[in-house]
Coordinates of all heavy atoms in Angstrom, one line a residue:
M154 N 0.8 -1.2 0.0 CA 0.0 0.0 0.0 C 0.9 1.2 0.0 O 1.7 1.4 0.9 CB -0.9 0.0 1.2 CG -1.9 1.1 1.3 SD -2.9 0.9 2.8 CE -3.8 -0.6 2.4
K155 N 0.7 2.1 -1.0 CA 1.5 3.3 -1.1 C 0.7 4.5 -1.1 O -0.5 4.4 -1.5 CB 2.4 3.2 -2.4 CG 3.4 2.1 -2.4 CD 4.2 2.2 -3.7 CE 5.2 1.1 -3.7 NZ 6.1 1.1 -4.8
P156 N 1.2 5.7 -0.7 CA 0.5 6.9 -0.8 C 0.1 7.2 -2.3 O 0.8 6.8 -3.2 CB 1.4 8.0 -0.2 CG 2.5 7.2 0.5 CD 2.5 5.9 -0.2
P157 N -0.9 8.1 -2.5 CA -1.3 8.5 -3.8 C -0.1 9.1 -4.5 O 0.7 9.8 -3.9 CB -2.4 9.4 -3.6 CG -3.0 9.1 -2.3 CD -1.8 8.6 -1.5
K158 N 0.0 9.0 -5.8 CA 1.1 9.6 -6.6 C 1.1 11.1 -6.4 O 0.1 11.8 -6.4 CB 0.9 9.3 -8.1 CG 2.1 9.6 -8.9 CD 2.0 9.1 -10.3 CE 3.3 9.3 -11.0 NZ 3.4 8.4 -12.2
G159 N 2.3 11.6 -6.1 CA 2.5 13.0 -5.9 C 2.3 13.4 -4.4 O 2.6 14.6 -4.1
D160 N 1.8 12.5 -3.6 CA 1.6 12.9 -2.2 C 3.0 12.8 -1.4 O 3.7 11.8 -1.5 CB 0.7 11.9 -1.5 CG 0.2 12.2 -0.1 OD1 0.9 13.1 0.5 OD2 -0.7 11.6 0.4
K161 N 3.3 13.9 -0.8 CA 4.6 14.0 -0.1 C 4.6 13.5 1.4 O 5.6 13.5 2.1 CB 5.2 15.4 -0.1 CG 5.3 16.0 -1.5 CD 6.5 15.3 -2.2 CE 6.8 16.0 -3.6 NZ 7.7 15.3 -4.4
S162 N 3.4 13.2 1.8 CA 3.2 12.7 3.2 C 3.9 11.4 3.4 O 4.0 10.6 2.6 CB 1.7 12.5 3.5 OG 1.0 13.7 3.4
P163 N 4.5 11.2 4.7 CA 5.1 9.9 5.0 C 4.1 8.8 4.9 O 2.8 9.0 5.0 CB 5.5 10.1 6.4 CG 5.6 11.6 6.7 CD 4.6 12.2 5.8
L164 N 4.5 7.6 4.6 CA 3.7 6.4 4.5 C 2.8 6.2 5.7 O 1.6 5.9 5.6 CB 4.5 5.2 4.2 CG 3.7 3.8 4.1 CD1 2.7 3.9 3.0 CD2 4.7 2.7 3.9
K165 N 3.3 6.5 6.9 CA 2.5 6.2 8.1 C 1.3 7.2 8.1 O 0.2 6.8 8.5 CB 3.4 6.5 9.4 CG 2.6 6.1 10.6 CD 3.5 6.0 11.8 CE 2.6 5.6 13.0 NZ 3.5 5.4 14.2
V166 N 1.5 8.4 7.7 CA 0.3 9.3 7.7 C -0.7 8.8 6.7 O -1.9 8.8 7.1 CB 0.8 10.7 7.2 CG1 -0.4 11.7 6.9 CG2 1.7 11.3 8.3
H167 N -0.3 8.3 5.6 CA -1.3 7.7 4.6 C -2.0 6.5 5.3 O -3.2 6.4 5.2 CB -0.5 7.3 3.4 CG -1.4 6.5 2.4 ND1 -2.4 7.1 1.7 CD2 -1.3 5.2 2.0 CE1 -3.0 6.1 0.9 NE2 -2.3 5.0 1.1
L168 N -1.2 5.6 5.9 CA -1.8 4.4 6.5 C -2.8 4.8 7.6 O -3.8 4.1 7.8 CB -0.7 3.5 7.1 CG 0.2 2.9 6.0 CD1 1.4 2.2 6.7 CD2 -0.5 2.0 5.1
L169 N -2.5 5.8 8.4 CA -3.4 6.2 9.5 C -4.7 6.8 8.9 O -5.8 6.5 9.4 CB -2.7 7.3 10.3 CG -1.7 6.7 11.3 CD1 -0.9 7.9 11.9 CD2 -2.3 5.8 12.3
K170 N -4.6 7.5 7.7 CA -5.8 8.0 7.1 C -6.7 6.8 6.6 O -7.9 6.8 6.7 CB -5.4 8.9 5.9 CG -4.9 10.2 6.3 CD -4.6 11.1 5.2 CE -4.0 12.4 5.6 NZ -3.5 13.2 4.4
V171 N -6.0 5.8 6.0 CA -6.7 4.6 5.6 C -7.5 3.9 6.7 O -8.6 3.6 6.7 CB -5.8 3.6 4.9 CG1 -6.5 2.2 4.7 CG2 -5.3 4.2 3.6
Y172 N -6.7 3.8 7.9 CA -7.3 3.2 9.1 C -8.5 4.0 9.6 O -9.6 3.4 9.9 CB -6.2 3.1 10.1 CG -6.7 2.4 11.4 CD1 -7.5 1.4 11.4 CD2 -6.1 2.9 12.6 CE1 -7.9 0.8 12.6 CE2 -6.5 2.3 13.8 CZ -7.4 1.2 13.8 OH -7.7 0.6 15.0
E173 N -8.4 5.3 9.6 CA -9.5 6.2 10.1 C -10.7 6.1 9.2 O -11.8 6.1 9.7 CB -9.0 7.6 10.2 CG -8.0 7.9 11.3 CD -7.5 9.3 11.3 OE1 -8.0 10.2 10.4 OE2 -6.6 9.6 12.0
S174 N -10.5 6.0 7.9 CA -11.6 6.0 7.0 C -12.3 4.7 6.8 O -13.5 4.6 6.6 CB -11.2 6.6 5.6 OG -10.2 5.8 5.0
T175 N -11.5 3.6 6.9 CA -12.1 2.3 6.7 C -12.3 1.5 8.0 O -13.1 0.6 8.0 CB -11.1 1.4 5.9 OG1 -9.9 1.2 6.6 CG2 -10.8 2.0 4.5
G176 N -11.6 1.8 9.1 CA -11.8 1.1 10.3 C -10.9 -0.2 10.3 O -10.9 -0.9 11.3
V177 N -10.3 -0.5 9.2 CA -9.4 -1.6 9.1 C -8.0 -1.2 9.2 O -7.5 -0.3 8.5 CB -9.6 -2.3 7.7 CG1 -8.7 -3.5 7.6 CG2 -11.1 -2.7 7.6
K178 N -7.2 -1.8 10.2 CA -5.9 -1.4 10.4 C -4.9 -2.1 9.4 O -4.9 -3.3 9.4 CB -5.5 -1.8 11.8 CG -4.2 -1.1 12.3 CD -4.0 -1.4 13.8 CE -3.2 -0.3 14.5 NZ -3.0 -0.6 15.9
P179 N -4.2 -1.3 8.6 CA -3.3 -1.9 7.6 C -2.2 -2.7 8.3 O -1.8 -2.4 9.5 CB -2.7 -0.7 6.9 CG -3.7 0.4 7.1 CD -4.3 0.2 8.4
K180 N -1.7 -3.7 7.7 CA -0.8 -4.7 8.2 C 0.5 -3.9 8.8 O 1.0 -4.2 9.8 CB -0.3 -5.7 7.2 CG 0.6 -6.8 7.7 CD 0.9 -7.8 6.7 CE 2.0 -8.8 7.2 NZ 2.4 -9.7 6.2
Q181 N 0.9 -2.9 8.0 CA 2.1 -2.2 8.4 C 1.9 -1.5 9.7 O 2.9 -1.3 10.5 CB 2.5 -1.1 7.3 CG 2.9 -1.7 6.0 CD 1.8 -1.7 5.0 OE1 0.6 -2.0 5.4 NE2 2.1 -1.5 3.8
L182 N 0.7 -1.0 10.0 CA 0.4 -0.4 11.3 C 0.3 -1.4 12.4 O 0.7 -1.2 13.6 CB -0.8 0.4 11.3 CG -0.8 1.7 10.5 CD1 -2.1 2.4 10.5 CD2 0.3 2.7 11.0
Q183 N -0.2 -2.6 12.1 CA -0.4 -3.6 13.1 C 1.0 -4.1 13.6 O 1.2 -4.5 14.8 CB -1.1 -4.8 12.5 CG -2.6 -4.5 12.3 CD -3.3 -5.7 11.6 OE1 -2.7 -6.7 11.4 NE2 -4.5 -5.4 11.2
E184 N 2.0 -4.1 12.7 CA 3.3 -4.6 13.1 C 4.2 -3.6 13.9 O 5.2 -4.0 14.4 CB 4.1 -5.0 11.8 CG 3.4 -6.1 11.0 CD 4.0 -6.4 9.7 OE1 4.8 -5.5 9.2 OE2 3.6 -7.4 9.1
Q185 N 3.7 -2.4 14.0 CA 4.5 -1.4 14.7 C 4.3 -1.5 16.2 O 3.1 -1.7 16.6 CB 4.2 0.0 14.3 CG 4.6 0.3 12.9 CD 4.5 1.7 12.5 OE1 3.6 2.4 13.1 NE2 5.3 2.2 11.6
P186 N 5.3 -1.4 17.0 CA 5.1 -1.4 18.5 C 4.3 -0.2 18.9 O 4.4 0.9 18.3 CB 6.5 -1.4 19.0 CG 7.4 -0.8 18.0 CD 6.7 -1.1 16.7
E187 N 3.6 -0.4 20.0 CA 2.8 0.8 20.6 C 3.8 1.7 21.3 O 4.8 1.3 21.8 CB 1.8 0.2 21.6 CG 0.7 -0.6 21.0 CD -0.2 0.3 20.1 OE1 -0.5 1.4 20.5 OE2 -0.6 -0.3 19.1
K188 N 3.5 3.0 21.2 CA 4.3 4.0 21.8 C 3.9 4.1 23.3 O 2.8 3.9 23.7 CB 4.1 5.4 21.2 CG 2.8 5.9 21.4 CD 2.7 7.4 20.9 CE 1.3 7.9 20.9 NZ 0.5 7.6 22.1
P189 N 4.9 4.4 24.2 CA 4.6 4.6 25.6 C 3.7 5.8 25.8 O 3.8 6.9 25.1 CB 6.0 4.9 26.2 CG 7.0 4.5 25.2 CD 6.3 4.6 23.9
R190 N 2.7 5.7 26.6 CA 1.7 6.8 26.9 C 2.4 8.0 27.4 O 1.9 9.1 27.2 CB 0.7 6.3 27.9 CG -0.3 5.3 27.2 CD -1.5 5.6 27.5 NE -2.8 5.5 27.2 CZ -3.5 5.9 26.1 NH1 -2.8 6.4 25.2 NH2 -4.8 5.8 26.0
E191 N 3.5 7.8 28.1 CA 4.3 8.9 28.7 C 4.8 9.9 27.6 O 5.2 11.0 27.9 CB 5.5 8.4 29.5 CG 5.0 7.6 30.7 CD 4.7 6.2 30.5 OE1 5.0 5.7 29.3 OE2 4.2 5.5 31.4
M192 N 4.8 9.4 26.3 CA 5.3 10.3 25.3 C 4.2 11.1 24.5 O 4.5 11.8 23.6 CB 6.0 9.4 24.2 CG 7.2 8.6 24.8 SD 8.5 9.7 25.5 CE 9.2 10.3 24.0
D193 N 3.0 10.9 24.9 CA 1.9 11.6 24.2 C 2.1 13.1 24.2 O 1.9 13.7 23.1 CB 0.6 11.3 24.9 CG 0.1 9.9 24.6 OD1 0.6 9.2 23.7 OD2 -0.9 9.5 25.3
Y194 N 2.5 13.7 25.3 CA 2.7 15.2 25.3 C 3.7 15.6 24.3 O 3.6 16.6 23.6 CB 3.0 15.7 26.7 CG 4.5 15.5 27.1 CD1 5.4 16.5 26.9 CD2 4.9 14.3 27.6 CE1 6.7 16.4 27.2 CE2 6.3 14.1 27.9 CZ 7.2 15.1 27.7 OH 8.5 15.0 28.1
L195 N 4.8 14.8 24.2 CA 5.9 15.2 23.3 C 5.5 15.0 21.8 O 5.8 15.9 21.0 CB 7.1 14.3 23.6 CG 8.5 14.7 23.0 CD1 8.8 16.1 23.3 CD2 9.5 13.8 23.5
L196 N 4.7 14.0 21.5 CA 4.2 13.8 20.2 C 3.2 14.9 19.8 O 3.2 15.4 18.7 CB 3.5 12.5 20.0 CG 4.5 11.3 19.9 CD1 3.7 10.0 19.9 CD2 5.3 11.4 18.6
C197 N 2.4 15.4 20.8 CA 1.5 16.5 20.6 C 2.3 17.7 20.2 O 1.9 18.5 19.3 CB 0.6 16.7 21.8 SG -0.6 17.9 21.6
W198 N 3.3 18.0 21.0 CA 4.2 19.2 20.7 C 4.8 19.0 19.3 O 4.7 20.0 18.5 CB 5.4 19.2 21.6 CG 5.1 19.6 23.0 CD1 3.9 20.0 23.6 CD2 6.0 19.6 24.1 NE1 4.0 20.2 24.9 CE2 5.3 20.0 25.3 CE3 7.3 19.3 24.2 CZ2 5.9 20.1 26.5 CZ3 7.9 19.4 25.5 CH2 7.2 19.8 26.6
F199 N 5.3 17.9 18.9 CA 5.9 17.7 17.6 C 4.9 17.9 16.5 O 5.2 18.6 15.5 CB 6.5 16.3 17.5 CG 7.0 15.9 16.1 CD1 8.1 16.5 15.6 CD2 6.2 15.1 15.4 CE1 8.5 16.3 14.3 CE2 6.6 14.8 14.1 CZ 7.7 15.4 13.5
Y200 N 3.7 17.2 16.6 CA 2.8 17.3 15.5 C 2.3 18.8 15.3 O 2.1 19.2 14.2 CB 1.5 16.4 15.8 CG 1.8 15.0 15.6 CD1 1.3 14.1 16.6 CD2 2.6 14.5 14.6 CE1 1.6 12.7 16.4 CE2 2.8 13.1 14.4 CZ 2.3 12.3 15.4 OH 2.6 10.9 15.2
G201 N 2.1 19.5 16.4 CA 1.8 20.9 16.3 C 2.8 21.7 15.6 O 2.5 22.5 14.7
L202 N 4.1 21.5 16.0 CA 5.2 22.3 15.3 C 5.4 21.8 13.9 O 5.6 22.6 13.0 CB 6.4 22.1 16.1 CG 7.6 23.0 15.8 CD1 7.2 24.5 15.8 CD2 8.7 22.8 16.9
H203 N 5.3 20.5 13.7 CA 5.5 19.9 12.3 C 4.4 20.4 11.4 O 4.7 20.8 10.2 CB 5.4 18.4 12.4 CG 5.5 17.7 11.0 ND1 6.7 17.7 10.3 CD2 4.6 17.1 10.3 CE1 6.5 17.1 9.2 NE2 5.2 16.7 9.1
N204 N 3.2 20.5 11.8 CA 2.1 21.0 11.0 C 2.3 22.4 10.6 O 1.9 22.9 9.6 CB 0.7 20.7 11.6 CG 0.4 19.2 11.6 OD1 0.9 18.5 10.9 ND2 -0.5 18.9 12.6
A205 N 2.8 23.2 11.6 CA 3.0 24.6 11.3 C 4.2 24.9 10.4 O 4.2 25.8 9.6 CB 3.3 25.3 12.6
T206 N 5.2 24.0 10.4 CA 6.4 24.2 9.6 C 6.4 23.5 8.2 O 7.0 23.9 7.3 CB 7.7 23.8 10.3 OG1 7.6 22.4 10.6 CG2 7.9 24.7 11.6
R207 N 5.7 22.4 8.2 CA 5.5 21.6 7.0 C 6.9 21.1 6.4 O 7.1 21.1 5.2 CB 4.8 22.3 5.9 CG 3.3 22.5 6.2 CD 2.6 21.2 6.1 NE 1.2 21.4 6.3 CZ 0.4 20.4 6.7 NH1 0.9 19.2 7.0 NH2 -0.8 20.6 6.9
G208 N 7.8 20.8 7.3 CA 9.1 20.3 6.9 C 10.0 20.0 8.1 O 9.5 19.9 9.2
A209 N 11.3 19.9 7.8 CA 12.2 19.7 8.9 C 12.1 20.8 9.9 O 12.0 22.0 9.5 CB 13.6 19.5 8.4
I210 N 12.2 20.5 11.2 CA 12.1 21.5 12.2 C 13.5 21.8 12.7 O 14.3 21.0 13.1 CB 11.3 21.0 13.4 CG1 9.9 20.6 12.9 CG2 11.2 22.0 14.5 CD1 9.1 19.8 13.9
S211 N 13.8 23.1 12.7 CA 15.2 23.6 13.2 C 15.1 23.9 14.7 O 14.1 24.0 15.3 CB 15.6 24.8 12.4 OG 14.7 25.9 12.8
Y212 N 16.3 24.0 15.2 CA 16.5 24.3 16.6 C 15.9 25.7 16.9 O 15.2 25.9 17.9 CB 17.9 24.3 17.1 CG 18.5 22.9 17.2 CD1 19.4 22.5 16.2 CD2 18.2 22.1 18.2 CE1 20.0 21.2 16.3 CE2 18.7 20.8 18.3 CZ 19.6 20.4 17.4 OH 20.1 19.1 17.5
T213 N 16.0 26.6 15.9 CA 15.5 27.9 16.1 C 14.0 27.9 16.2 O 13.4 28.6 17.0 CB 16.0 28.8 14.9 OG1 17.4 28.8 14.9 CG2 15.4 30.2 15.0
E214 N 13.4 27.1 15.3 CA 11.9 27.0 15.3 C 11.4 26.4 16.7 O 10.4 26.9 17.2 CB 11.4 26.2 14.2 CG 11.6 26.9 12.8 CD 11.4 26.0 11.6 OE1 11.8 24.8 11.7 OE2 10.9 26.5 10.6
I215 N 12.1 25.4 17.2 CA 11.8 24.8 18.4 C 11.9 25.8 19.5 O 11.0 26.0 20.4 CB 12.6 23.5 18.7 CG1 12.3 22.4 17.7 CG2 12.4 23.1 20.2 CD1 13.2 21.2 17.8
Y216 N 13.0 26.6 19.5 CA 13.2 27.6 20.5 C 12.1 28.6 20.5 O 11.6 28.9 21.6 CB 14.6 28.3 20.3 CG 14.8 29.5 21.1 CD1 15.3 29.3 22.4 CD2 14.6 30.8 20.7 CE1 15.5 30.4 23.3 CE2 14.9 31.9 21.5 CZ 15.3 31.7 22.8 OH 15.5 32.7 23.6
H217 N 11.8 29.2 19.4 CA 10.7 30.2 19.3 C 9.4 29.6 19.7 O 8.6 30.3 20.3 CB 10.7 30.9 17.9 CG 11.9 31.7 17.7 ND1 12.1 32.9 18.4 CD2 13.0 31.6 16.9 CE1 13.2 33.5 18.0 NE2 13.8 32.7 17.1
W218 N 9.1 28.4 19.2 CA 7.8 27.7 19.6 C 7.7 27.6 21.1 O 6.7 27.9 21.7 CB 7.7 26.4 18.9 CG 6.7 25.5 19.5 CD1 5.3 25.5 19.2 CD2 6.8 24.5 20.6 NE1 4.7 24.6 19.9 CE2 5.6 24.0 20.8 CE3 7.9 24.1 21.3 CZ2 5.3 23.0 21.8 CZ3 7.7 23.1 22.3 CH2 6.4 22.6 22.5
A219 N 8.8 27.2 21.8 CA 8.8 27.0 23.2 C 8.6 28.4 23.9 O 7.9 28.4 24.9 CB 10.1 26.4 23.7
K220 N 9.2 29.4 23.4 CA 9.0 30.8 24.0 C 7.6 31.2 23.8 O 7.0 31.7 24.8 CB 10.0 31.8 23.3 CG 11.4 31.7 23.7 CD 11.5 32.2 25.1 CE 13.0 32.4 25.4 NZ 13.2 32.7 26.8
L221 N 7.0 31.1 22.6 CA 5.7 31.5 22.4 C 4.6 30.8 23.2 O 3.6 31.3 23.6 CB 5.3 31.4 20.9 CG 6.0 32.4 20.0 CD1 5.8 32.0 18.5 CD2 5.4 33.8 20.2
T222 N 4.8 29.5 23.4 CA 3.9 28.6 24.1 C 4.2 28.5 25.6 O 3.4 27.9 26.3 CB 3.8 27.2 23.5 OG1 5.1 26.6 23.5 CG2 3.3 27.3 22.0
K223 N 5.3 29.1 26.0 CA 5.7 29.1 27.4 C 6.0 27.7 27.9 O 5.6 27.3 29.0 CB 4.8 29.8 28.3 CG 4.7 31.3 27.9 CD 3.7 32.0 28.9 CE 3.5 33.5 28.7 NZ 4.0 34.2 27.7
V224 N 6.5 26.9 27.0 CA 6.9 25.5 27.3 C 8.3 25.4 27.8 O 9.2 26.0 27.1 CB 6.7 24.5 26.1 CG1 7.3 23.2 26.4 CG2 5.2 24.4 25.8
N225 N 8.6 24.8 28.9 CA 9.9 24.7 29.4 C 10.5 23.4 28.9 O 10.3 22.3 29.5 CB 10.0 24.7 31.0 CG 11.4 24.7 31.5 OD1 12.3 25.0 30.8 ND2 11.5 24.3 32.8
I226 N 11.0 23.4 27.7 CA 11.4 22.2 27.0 C 12.9 21.8 27.4 O 13.7 22.7 27.5 CB 11.3 22.3 25.5 CG1 11.5 21.0 24.8 CG2 12.2 23.4 24.9 CD1 11.1 21.0 23.3
R227 N 13.1 20.6 27.7 CA 14.4 20.1 28.1 C 15.2 19.6 26.9 O 14.7 19.3 25.9 CB 14.2 18.9 29.1 CG 13.6 19.5 30.4 CD 13.2 18.3 31.3 NE 12.0 17.7 30.7 CZ 11.1 17.1 31.5 NH1 11.2 16.9 32.8 NH2 10.1 16.5 30.9
A228 N 16.5 19.5 27.1 CA 17.4 19.2 26.0 C 17.1 17.9 25.4 O 17.1 17.7 24.1 CB 18.9 19.2 26.5
W229 N 16.7 16.8 26.1 CA 16.4 15.5 25.6 C 15.1 15.6 24.8 O 15.0 14.9 23.8 CB 16.4 14.4 26.7 CG 15.2 14.5 27.6 CD1 15.1 15.1 28.8 CD2 13.9 13.9 27.4 NE1 13.9 14.9 29.4 CE2 13.1 14.2 28.5 CE3 13.4 13.1 26.3 CZ2 11.8 13.7 28.6 CZ3 12.1 12.7 26.5 CH2 11.3 13.0 27.6
E230 N 14.2 16.5 25.2 CA 12.9 16.6 24.4 C 13.2 17.3 23.1 O 12.6 16.9 22.1 CB 11.9 17.4 25.3 CG 11.5 16.7 26.5 CD 10.7 17.5 27.5 OE1 11.1 18.7 27.6 OE2 9.8 17.0 28.1
V231 N 14.1 18.2 23.1 CA 14.5 18.9 21.8 C 15.1 17.8 20.9 O 14.8 17.7 19.7 CB 15.5 20.0 22.0 CG1 16.1 20.5 20.7 CG2 14.8 21.2 22.8
A232 N 16.0 17.0 21.5 CA 16.6 15.9 20.7 C 15.6 14.9 20.1 O 15.7 14.6 18.9 CB 17.6 15.1 21.5
V233 N 14.6 14.6 20.9 CA 13.5 13.7 20.3 C 12.8 14.4 19.2 O 12.5 13.8 18.2 CB 12.6 13.3 21.5 CG1 11.4 12.6 20.9 CG2 13.3 12.4 22.5
M234 N 12.4 15.6 19.4 CA 11.7 16.4 18.4 C 12.5 16.5 17.1 O 12.0 16.3 16.0 CB 11.3 17.7 18.8 CG 10.1 17.6 19.9 SD 9.6 19.2 20.5 CE 8.7 19.9 19.1
Q235 N 13.8 16.6 17.2 CA 14.7 16.7 16.0 C 14.7 15.3 15.3 O 14.7 15.3 14.1 CB 16.1 17.1 16.5 CG 16.3 18.5 16.7 CD 16.4 19.3 15.4 OE1 17.4 19.3 14.7 NE2 15.3 20.0 15.0
R236 N 14.8 14.3 16.1 CA 14.8 12.9 15.5 C 13.5 12.6 14.8 O 13.5 12.1 13.7 CB 15.1 11.8 16.6 CG 16.5 11.8 17.0 CD 16.7 10.6 17.9 NE 18.1 10.2 18.0 CZ 18.6 9.4 18.8 NH1 17.8 8.8 19.7 NH2 19.8 9.1 18.8
L237 N 12.4 13.0 15.4 CA 11.1 12.9 14.8 C 11.0 13.7 13.5 O 10.5 13.2 12.5 CB 10.0 13.3 15.7 CG 9.7 12.4 16.9 CD1 8.7 13.0 17.9 CD2 9.1 11.0 16.4
S238 N 11.6 14.9 13.5 CA 11.6 15.7 12.3 C 12.3 15.1 11.2 O 11.8 15.1 10.0 CB 12.2 17.1 12.7 OG 12.3 17.9 11.5
V239 N 13.5 14.5 11.5 CA 14.2 13.8 10.5 C 13.5 12.6 9.9 O 13.4 12.4 8.7 CB 15.6 13.4 11.0 CG1 16.4 12.5 10.0 CG2 16.5 14.7 11.3
A240 N 12.9 11.8 10.8 CA 12.2 10.6 10.4 C 11.0 11.0 9.5 O 10.7 10.3 8.5 CB 11.7 9.9 11.7
F241 N 10.2 12.1 9.9 CA 9.1 12.5 9.1 C 9.5 13.0 7.8 O 8.9 12.9 6.7 CB 8.2 13.5 9.8 CG 7.1 12.9 10.6 CD1 7.3 12.1 11.7 CD2 5.8 13.1 10.2 CE1 6.3 11.5 12.4 CE2 4.7 12.5 10.8 CZ 5.0 11.7 11.9
S242 N 10.7 13.7 7.7 CA 11.1 14.3 6.5 C 11.6 13.3 5.5 O 11.5 13.4 4.3 CB 12.3 15.3 6.8 OG 11.9 16.4 7.5
N243 N 12.1 12.2 6.1 CA 12.6 11.1 5.2 C 11.5 10.1 4.8 O 11.8 9.2 4.0 CB 13.8 10.3 5.9 CG 15.0 11.2 6.0 OD1 15.2 12.1 5.3 ND2 15.8 10.9 7.0
G244 N 10.3 10.3 5.4 CA 9.2 9.4 5.0 C 9.3 8.1 5.6 O 8.7 7.1 5.4

């Protein structure tokens, strides 16, 4: 199962849309391990920033986002957001 031609979204985004619209979980999603619930807040931060930037997220963007939202972000959280940014950019 591949994203529609010309779609720049990562495969996982496409698979999640398929799952939401059909109610049937694609095999690729079933095989992925579940994320720890303790990471929900960090993913929420990442998705918000990723959706606003539509690309790789720089340290500067994270810094300004943290200032604007008054989030006291720790160095390891910045590192995770950077890794997620690279993973999403590479599809």
Side-chain angles (χ1 to χ4, degrees):
M154 184 177 297
K155 295 184 179 181
K158 191 170 187 161
D160 188 348
K161 301 287 186 194
S162 300
L164 178 60
K165 185 168 184 177
V166 171
H167 172 69
L168 294 172
L169 287 170
K170 287 179 184 177
V171 169
Y172 182 38
E173 288 173 9
S174 63
T175 65
V177 177
K178 196 173 208 178
K180 184 179 177 184
Q181 295 96 325
L182 289 178
Q183 292 174 6
E184 295 170 349
Q185 291 189 334
E187 291 295 318
K188 67 172 173 40
R190 290 228 163 290
E191 296 83 8
M192 299 300 288
D193 284 348
Y194 79 96
L195 195 51
L196 286 172
C197 184
W198 291 353
F199 170 73
Y200 289 135
L202 193 51
H203 176 73
N204 289 339
T206 60
R207 292 288 182 206
I210 302 169
S211 70
Y212 288 108
T213 303
E214 290 166 327
I215 294 172
Y216 173 81
H217 289 291
W218 166 84
K220 285 286 194 190
L221 285 170
T222 58
K223 297 183 180 7
V224 168
N225 185 17
I226 191 167
R227 294 171 286 209
W229 72 267
E230 293 167 323
V231 171
V233 169
M234 289 179 71
Q235 281 284 285
R236 284 184 160 172
L237 288 170
S238 176
V239 169
F241 265 69
S242 294
N243 294 335

